[in-house]
């Protein structure tokens, strides 16, 4: 193989989807356990706790988005897949913010969501506040998403 | 990562809203009579839905219901069995006395422990302790020996009570759960204080106090034993230099005031667990809260049944978890 660029770039895309996906799977699962506990005691709270359960799921979607953009940029989904090793490494680096922040923020958001679910179980009128607590963590996943998107779309224009 | 109990804790937090609040307790205290108090509790879901005329069966059903929930949530109930040790060892004392003195002591056997009271009686009767659980077998043998050799029920009680607290302390440390360990330590300290005060009031020797007191954190049991052998003021003085200095005020009022203070201290210890979302600690705290609530309800209902002045009853009500 003449260049390892495509290997690095694909590794980056895979990591973004993989790590953010793992984070979301752990997070949604954890929040799901809490939600099931609350619904066992009070089935009427299903709608409220479901929203909180879904919050840590967004990182997985962001990871998928980054992987998809990367794949289309490097020509895996069509076009020429001939990219230099340097560009491949840049794509890998560009995917890492979403990969790591996605993994970690999904798990931390799940902890906030679990606490929120337990708060709603005792005080349903505090639903809005419990959502805000969990949603605050989302900020950092969005920042990572933004940096990854900007980097990935910018790399194409570089002549290296 | 420590073991997580997200589902169990969520269910327990959802159940916490069913615990009696201070307002509920006030309502209970101000009910017109015993019947109205009982019907208020039935309305709050107390008992197993049956028509109760006496409050003890209702409280027993309520406790059984709580344990059934705990067993459903956490099948490995070992951490919670620490809470049953006092009943277990109480039954051991009653069994020894029932077998070797009078049959009436058998009336003191309580259900709700982790060991079947009949099994304890049988083991003591046959002097075959192999069927008893490990934590109790050795104590059962030695306490029976003490009783048979000396005929002194108090010495036997000291040996059993000491083993009880030592077991609770050991299990608390082994649980690896902060709140269980802290509860065990607090209970040991409170029990030591109670023993020291009683020893001082009854003029016991230093040797007696040393045999009865269990070493625990926060208390210098050597100094406490020494103080207990002198007089009650020395015990108060000794406590003034510990984390339990607030107990002195309560002790000066009465022993029941101290017991209320002790229960409030335990509630204070566990109250923070209401905001803990993952570990087993909130489930343990819930069990303690429920035990404390049952104790408070029993006090009120006894007062109502015996037409006691509610002001007196109110003074004895412990702080509640919620």
């Amino acid at each position: 193989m003449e260049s390892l660029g495509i290997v690095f770039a694909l590794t980056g895309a895979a990591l973004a989807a993989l790590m953010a996906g793992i984070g979301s799977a752990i997070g949604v699962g954890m929040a799901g356990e809490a939600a099931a506990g609350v619904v066992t005691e009070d089935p009427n709270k299903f709608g409220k706790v479901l929203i909180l359960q879904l919050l840590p799921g967004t990182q997985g979607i962001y990871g998928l988005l980054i992987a998809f953009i990367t794949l289309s940029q490097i020509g895996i989904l069509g076009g020429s897949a001939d990219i230099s090793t340097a560009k491949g490494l840049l794509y890998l680096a560009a995917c890492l913010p979403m990969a790591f922040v996605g993994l970690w923020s999904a798990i931390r958001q799940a902890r906030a969501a679990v606490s929120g679910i337990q708060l709603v179980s005792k005080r349903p009128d505090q639903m809005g506040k419990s959502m805000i607590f969990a949603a605050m963590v989302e900020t950092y996943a969005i920042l990572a998403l933004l940096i990854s998107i900007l980097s990935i779309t910018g790399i194409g224009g570089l002549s290296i | 990562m420590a073991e997580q109990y997200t589902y169990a804790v969520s269910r327990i937090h959802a159940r916490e809203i069913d615990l009696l609040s201070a307002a509920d307790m006030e309502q209970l205290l101000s009910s017109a009579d015993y019947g109205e108090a009982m019907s208020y509790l039935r309305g709050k879901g107390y008992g197993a839905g049956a028509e109760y005329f006496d409050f003890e069966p209702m409280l027993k059903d309520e406790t059984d219901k709580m344990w059934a929930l705990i067993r459903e949530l956490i099948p490995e109930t070992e951490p919670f069995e620490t809470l049953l040790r006092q009943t277990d060892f109480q039954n051991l004392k009653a069994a020894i006395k029932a077998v070797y003195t009078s049959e009436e002591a058998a009336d003191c056997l309580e259900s709700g422990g982790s060991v079947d009271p009949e099994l304890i009686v049988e083991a003591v009767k046959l002097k075959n302790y192999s069927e008893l659980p490990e934590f109790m077998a050795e104590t059962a043998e030695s306490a029976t020996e003490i009783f048979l050799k000396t005929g002194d029920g108090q010495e036997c009680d000291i040996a059993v009570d000491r083993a009880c607290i030592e077991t609770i302390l050991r299990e608390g440390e082994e649980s690896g759960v902060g709140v269980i360990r802290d509860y065990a330590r607090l209970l040991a300290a409170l029990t030591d204080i109670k023993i020291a005060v009683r020893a001082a009031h009854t003029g016991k020797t230093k040797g007696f106090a040393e045999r009865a007191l269990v070493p625990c954190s926060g208390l210098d049991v050597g100094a406490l034993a020494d103080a207990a052998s002198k007089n009650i003021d020395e015990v108060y003085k000794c406590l003034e230099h510990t984390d339990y200095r607030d107990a002195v005020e309560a002790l000066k009022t009465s022993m029941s005031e101290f017991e209320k203070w002790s229960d409030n201290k335990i509630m204070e210890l566990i109250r923070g667990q209401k905001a803990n979302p993952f570990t087993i600690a909130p489930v343990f705290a819930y069990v303690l809260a429920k035990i404390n609530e049952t104790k408070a309800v029993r006090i009120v209902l006894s007062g109502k049944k015996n037409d006691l002045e509610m002001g007196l009853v109110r003074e004895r009500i412990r702080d509640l978890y919620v």
Side-chain angles (χ1 to χ4, degrees):
Chain A
M1 192 181 282
E2 208 168 82
S3 163
L4 284 173
I6 191 72
V7 178
F8 287 127
L10 192 59
T11 305
L15 281 177
L18 196 72
M19 291 174 73
I22 289 171
S24 280
I26 294 172
V28 173
M30 201 189 277
E33 277 183 53
V38 172
V39 172
T40 306
E41 295 299 325
D42 185 359
N44 294 327
K45 295 201 174 91
F46 173 72
K48 286 183 173 176
V49 297
L50 182 68
I51 297 168
L52 284 160
Q53 189 205 345
L54 292 177
L55 281 176
T58 52
Q59 284 83 347
I61 299 168
Y62 300 160
L64 175 75
L65 182 66
I66 291 300
F68 188 77
I69 296 172
T70 308
L71 293 180
S72 61
Q73 289 279 323
I74 63 177
I76 294 271
L77 297 179
S80 166
D82 183 24
I83 55 169
S84 66
T85 304
K87 263 196 179 176
L89 283 168
L90 286 175
Y91 278 118
L92 172 60
C95 290
L96 291 183
M98 194 63 250
F100 284 99
V101 178
L103 172 70
W104 199 239
S105 69
I107 295 170
R108 303 312 293 187
Q109 192 173 38
R111 293 178 70 91
V114 167
S115 303
I117 287 167
Q118 291 171 358
L119 168 60
V120 167
S121 74
K122 284 196 261 190
R123 304 183 67 174
D125 56 316
Q126 299 299 312
M127 173 69 190
K129 286 176 190 164
S130 51
M131 272 193 71
I132 289 170
F133 295 141
M136 295 295 278
V137 189
E138 193 75 14
T139 313
Y140 304 95
I142 293 171
L143 294 179
L145 172 71
L146 202 60
I147 288 301
S148 287
I149 290 178
L150 290 174
S151 308
I152 292 163
T153 50
I155 291 167
L158 299 175
S159 50
I160 47 169
Chain B
M1 191 186 285
E3 194 167 358
Q4 300 201 332
Y5 296 85
T6 315
Y7 173 79
V9 174
S10 298
R11 275 191 73 179
I12 284 299
H13 282 322
R15 283 281 176 119
E16 280 168 7
I17 52 176
D18 295 330
L19 287 172
L20 296 183
S21 63
D24 288 320
M25 202 47 77
E26 199 48 50
Q27 184 78 31
L28 204 56
L29 282 162
S30 53
S31 23
D33 53 28
Y34 175 69
E36 195 180 304
M38 288 288 280
S39 98
Y40 182 76
L41 286 170
R42 268 197 304 276
K44 297 291 288 179
Y46 248 70
E51 188 67 30
Y52 298 98
F53 298 102
D54 186 26
F55 62 84
E56 282 301 346
M58 181 176 75
L59 296 183
K60 185 185 176 302
D61 284 350
E62 186 65 14
T63 307
D64 290 347
K65 216 163 70 178
M66 184 261 298
W67 282 114
L69 171 71
I70 300 303
R71 276 191 293 273
E72 183 193 333
L73 293 177
I74 301 169
E76 319 81 53
T77 53
E78 286 84 10
F80 301 97
E81 288 185 2
T82 302
L83 294 169
L84 306 177
R85 294 298 174 241
Q86 285 175 298
T87 308
D88 290 333
F89 282 96
Q90 183 61 37
N91 283 342
L92 175 60
K93 287 194 283 188
I96 294 171
K97 284 166 193 161
V99 170
Y100 295 107
T101 56
S102 63
E103 286 300 316
E104 288 82 54
D107 297 340
C108 297
L109 292 170
E110 294 174 21
S111 61
S114 66
V115 188
D116 179 7
E118 292 308 317
L119 181 73
I120 303 175
V121 171
E122 211 50 34
V124 171
K125 199 180 281 176
L126 301 173
K127 289 193 182 176
N128 177 3
Y129 309 98
S130 58
E131 292 296 311
L132 292 177
E134 203 180 328
F135 72 85
M136 185 185 267
E138 203 180 312
T139 309
E141 186 172 2
S142 59
T144 306
E145 283 303 308
I146 290 170
F147 191 74
L148 290 177
K149 271 184 193 161
T150 65
D152 186 344
Q154 204 170 35
E155 282 296 332
C156 170
D157 287 354
I158 287 177
V160 176
D161 288 340
R162 187 184 171 100
C164 175
I165 294 299
E166 283 172 345
T167 304
I168 291 172
L169 273 173
R170 181 176 44 75
E171 290 180 346
E173 297 297 332
E174 286 172 1
S175 72
V177 181
V179 74
I180 302 180
R181 185 199 56 222
D182 293 346
Y183 162 76
R185 288 177 182 175
L186 178 60
L187 186 73
L190 297 173
T191 308
D192 276 351
I193 294 171
K194 205 188 304 176
I195 292 169
V197 169
R198 283 189 180 146
H201 278 309
T202 51
K204 297 289 180 194
T205 62
K206 188 178 175 186
F208 176 93
E210 279 173 343
R211 283 197 303 283
L213 298 176
V214 178
C216 64
S217 59
L219 279 181
D220 177 353
V221 287
L224 195 60
D226 191 40
S229 66
K230 291 174 183 162
N231 57 56
I232 190 67
D233 289 327
E234 287 297 320
V235 174
Y236 295 157
K237 216 180 282 176
C238 182
L239 291 175
E240 288 291 354
H241 305 292
T242 69
D243 296 339
Y244 304 97
R245 63 185 72 83
D246 297 347
V248 173
E249 205 56 44
L251 284 165
K252 281 178 180 171
T253 309
S254 68
M255 210 57 185
S256 69
E257 186 62 25
F258 171 70
E259 276 170 14
K260 178 184 165 183
W261 180 88
S262 301
D263 286 342
N264 289 349
K265 195 91 181 152
I266 291 171
M267 280 302 108
E268 204 178 287
L269 172 79
I270 63 169
R271 203 163 274 134
Q273 300 306 326
K274 278 193 283 190
N276 179 340
F278 295 108
T279 71
I280 201 169
V283 186
F284 185 83
Y286 176 83
V287 175
L288 268 177
K290 197 72 193 166
I291 291 171
N292 186 58
E293 177 189 289
T294 310
K295 214 183 270 184
V297 168
R298 182 176 282 113
I299 291 169
V300 177
L301 292 179
S302 307
K304 289 278 173 199
K305 196 172 185 182
N306 297 299
D307 288 326
L308 295 181
E309 208 266 298
M310 278 303 111
L312 286 174
V313 175
R314 186 175 275 108
E315 282 172 16
R316 289 174 177 246
I317 299 296
R318 277 81 170 139
D319 290 346
L320 296 167
Y321 187 56
V322 292

